[in-house]
Amino acid sequence: MEAKKSLAKYWIYFFIWLAIMIVMIVFARQFFWLALPGVVTYFSLGMDII
């Protein structure tokens, strides 16, 4: 059997990146896409897709 790995760390990073992205949408709309790689990466790690 495979050992179950903890995904809590990835979810915490996802919510941090999500907050950064929301702040960037509010204050610097033209640069919000800079936070997208972090949001997408940590969401997929949190869902154990990659």
Side-chain angles (χ1 to χ4, degrees), residues 25-48:
I25 286 174
V26 171
F27 294 111
R29 186 173 298 260
Q30 66 272 23
F31 296 115
F32 90 96
W33 57 272
L34 292 173
L36 281 176
V39 171
V40 172
T41 300
Y42 286 109
F43 178 75
S44 60
L45 286 170
M47 294 290 291
D48 203 22

Side-chain angles (χ1 to χ4, degrees), residues 2-31:
E2 273 187 46
K4 198 113 161 123
K5 61 181 178 179
S6 175
L7 302 176
K9 173 179 65 172
Y10 298 133
W11 283 110
I12 292 170
Y13 290 150
F14 166 71
F15 286 116
I16 290 170
W17 275 105
L18 185 64
I20 291 169
M21 187 175 75
I22 290 170
V23 167
M24 290 183 81
I25 286 174
V26 171
F27 294 111
R29 186 173 298 260
Q30 66 272 23
F31 296 115

